[in-house]
């Protein structure tokens, strides 16, 4: 009898060893980690809770993967969702390209040439890809990485082999860049900052969707959007914006992928933007 039990035990051990019970083990594996939550902090009473609730509600029925960043200097308010998740930049990286160009020109104590001004304007206001490729190649990886280092944008990884649209960006770094554009700092001169914001304020009307959606009247808007379809993760649709007026000075980044269409991604970004503008205006 004893030997019979032992033999069955040995058979069981072999069964486990051959993987017969693996499906059972897999079924018992804990479920994937819960979806990350929106986190907000604010010096203004009640604002953080309101923003967290409204941004969460705006995203509740949306498909795809969304990352959000908000910072308002006036109320010291910050909101984040997936702040360190990496996304293919698409055309949002064009702001970084222009910032690099101006940073490098300042280092060499020179103004932009007429040619550079023409390329910069086309790159930002019309999202011209050829102009971007020309400037990206002119700058080269050493200068681009030099600017990212100076700006503290440590999570941004430039696209290889000239593929600037595949630069890896995060909400954290895009918000760092927007902060540099909107306040005095040692990286970009006041003239450089004003020039970038001026061009972002002159983006053609067909590309002024995204973060400016629902902005109150009288608030100035600087925006740059990006969109790119790939075989994995569907459409990447992104929007970064800086807003000033109505007692607020704030910047917003919304990055998305896994969208079925470009318009679906735009609608997701605008659902978030709408509640942010509304909550800040009411605070």
């Amino acid at each position: 009898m004893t030997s019979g039990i032992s033999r069955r035990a040995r058979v069981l051990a072999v069964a486990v060893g051959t993987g017969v019970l693996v499906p059972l083990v897999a079924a018992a594996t804990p479920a994937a980690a819960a979806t990350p939550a929106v986190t907000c902090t604010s010096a203004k009473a009640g604002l953080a809770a309101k923003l967290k609730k409204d941004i969460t509600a705006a995203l509740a029925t949306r498909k795809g993967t969304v990352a959000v960043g908000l910072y308002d200097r006036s109320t010291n308010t910050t909101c984040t969702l997936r702040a360190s998740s990496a996304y293919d930049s698409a055309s949002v990286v064009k702001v970084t390209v222009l910032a690099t160009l101006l940073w490098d020109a300042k280092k060499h104590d020179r103004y932009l040439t007429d040619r550079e001004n023409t390329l910069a304007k086309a790159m930002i206001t019309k999202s011209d890809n050829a102009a971007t490729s020309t400037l990206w190649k002119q700058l080269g990886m050493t200068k681009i990485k030099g600017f990212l280092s100076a700006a503290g944008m440590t999570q941004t990884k430039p696209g290889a082999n000239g593929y600037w649209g595949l630069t890896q960006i995060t909400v954290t770094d895009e918000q760092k860049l927007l902060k540099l554009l909107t306040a005095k700092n040692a990286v970009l001169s006041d003239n450089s900052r004003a020039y970038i914001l001026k061009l972002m304020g002159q983006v053609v009307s067909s590309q002024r969707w995204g973060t400016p959606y629902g902005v109150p009247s009288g608030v100035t808007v600087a925006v740059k959007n990006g969109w790119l379809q790939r075989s994995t993760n569907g459409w990447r649709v992104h929007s970064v914006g800086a807003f000033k007026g109505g007692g607020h000075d704030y910047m917003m980044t919304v990055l998305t992928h896994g969208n079925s269409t470009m318009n679906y991604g735009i609608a997701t970004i605008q659902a978030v933007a709408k509640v942010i503008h509304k909550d800040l205006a009411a605070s």
Side-chain angles (χ1 to χ4, degrees):
M1 190 74 168
T2 309
S3 61
I5 293 171
S6 297
R7 194 168 63 251
R8 278 189 356 239
R10 282 200 301 277
V11 169
L12 181 60
V14 169
V16 172
T18 55
V20 172
L21 297 184
V22 166
L24 192 65
V25 173
T29 303
T35 306
V38 176
T39 59
C40 296
T41 60
S42 179
K44 180 99 177 182
L47 182 55
K50 181 93 175 95
L51 281 164
K52 176 183 167 75
K53 175 172 168 280
D54 291 348
I55 295 169
T56 301
L59 291 172
T61 62
R62 306 304 295 174
K63 293 183 173 67
T65 305
V66 185
V68 178
L70 166 70
Y71 174 61
D72 175 33
R73 281 193 182 91
S74 311
T75 54
N76 195 20
T77 298
T78 302
C79 290
T80 57
L81 173 66
R82 295 189 181 92
S84 295
S85 294
Y87 290 76
D88 293 331
S89 69
S91 292
V92 164
V93 77
K94 292 169 181 176
V95 181
T96 299
V97 175
L98 180 52
T100 303
L101 181 67
L102 291 161
W103 170 79
D104 184 64
K106 177 189 166 194
K107 276 175 63 177
H108 293 91
D109 200 25
R110 71 171 183 88
Y111 293 107
L112 296 192
T113 63
D114 289 345
R115 172 181 162 278
E116 287 169 337
N117 274 313
T118 300
L119 290 168
K121 185 170 185 181
M123 175 173 69
I124 300 297
T125 65
K126 296 187 291 189
S127 207
D128 187 286
N129 290 338
T132 310
S133 294
T134 299
L135 289 171
W136 182 268
K137 188 176 176 184
Q138 174 187 315
L139 288 165
M141 207 51 77
T142 302
K143 288 177 179 178
I144 292 162
K145 286 183 175 176
F147 170 73
L148 292 172
S149 177
M153 294 168 67
T154 56
Q155 296 177 354
T156 302
K157 306 285 181 271
N161 306 316
Y163 290 108
W164 45 262
L166 298 185
T167 296
Q168 297 299 291
I169 61 170
T170 66
V171 157
T172 294
D173 276 8
E174 291 304 301
Q175 289 291 98
K176 280 182 180 178
L177 180 59
L178 290 170
K179 286 177 184 177
L180 285 178
L181 299 184
T182 54
K184 200 172 187 69
N185 61 82
V187 181
L188 293 170
S189 70
D190 291 349
N191 284 342
S192 295
R193 297 190 302 103
Y195 180 66
I196 299 172
L197 289 171
K198 182 181 90 169
L199 292 184
M200 289 174 71
Q202 294 174 351
V203 166
V204 294
S205 59
S206 60
Q207 294 179 20
R208 293 179 73 79
W209 46 262
T211 50
Y213 188 78
V215 69
S217 59
V219 174
T220 60
V221 173
V223 66
K224 184 70 196 84
N225 296 327
W227 55 98
L228 171 69
Q229 186 184 24
R230 297 185 73 193
S231 56
T232 56
N233 289 327
W235 280 89
R236 295 95 170 98
V237 187
H238 313 315
S239 183
V240 298
F243 310 91
K244 194 163 188 177
H248 292 277
D249 173 11
Y250 57 107
M251 54 231 62
M252 195 191 314
T253 297
V254 188
L255 309 178
T256 76
H257 64 212
N259 300 293
S260 53
T261 64
M262 178 177 165
N263 282 338
Y264 187 89
I266 291 173
T268 296
I269 294 169
Q270 294 188 167
V272 173
K274 183 181 178 183
V275 298
I276 287 175
H277 291 304
K278 181 167 159 287
D279 289 352
L280 288 176
S283 67

